[in-house]
Amino acid sequence: MVAKAEHIDGKENPRYIVTSLASEAWPAQKLYEELYCARGDMENRIKEQFHLFADRVSTETMRANQFRLYLSAVAYVLVSGLRRLA
């Protein structure tokens, strides 16, 4: 079990992780920062995809809907690349 206790703006912000991973391979800080936080970040990226018009595929043909999603995906990749570089 890993516990993290912090205060943000005077409010408590406790975090707990219970895992079966070996502590030799995943020390507490590495487990929290590299595995747990990365998972949360990935969930946020998945949520961002809902802003890609993926919820609005309302054209008449499947081909037009697919093309719309391709354009949205390309735009997402470009913006992500710019974020990494900037």
Side-chain angles (χ1 to χ4, degrees):
M1 182 172 146
V2 177
K4 178 182 179 185
E6 66 182 354
H7 281 274
I8 300 175
D9 297 327
K11 296 179 183 177
E12 294 178 2
N13 187 22
R15 307 275 173 94
Y16 302 95
I17 303 171
V18 177
T19 183
S20 60
L21 297 173
S23 60
E24 296 81 27
W26 289 97
Q29 186 171 358
K30 182 179 176 185
L31 175 73
Y32 180 79
E33 292 176 353
E34 294 182 18
L35 191 66
Y36 179 76
C37 290
R39 179 180 173 202
D41 189 48
M42 181 55 67
E43 289 176 2
N44 289 336
R45 299 296 82 81
I46 291 169
K47 289 178 189 175
E48 283 179 356
Q49 291 180 6
F50 290 119
H51 300 287
L52 294 177
F53 305 117
D55 58 341
R56 292 189 63 216
V57 285
S58 57
T59 57
E60 292 182 14
T61 64
M62 178 68 171
R63 187 174 299 212
N65 287 331
Q66 186 175 13
F67 183 68
R68 187 177 189 171
L69 286 173
Y70 281 151
L71 289 177
S72 296
V74 168
Y76 177 78
V77 169
L78 286 173
V79 169
S80 293
L82 288 173
R83 270 193 215 152
R84 273 194 307 264
L85 293 174

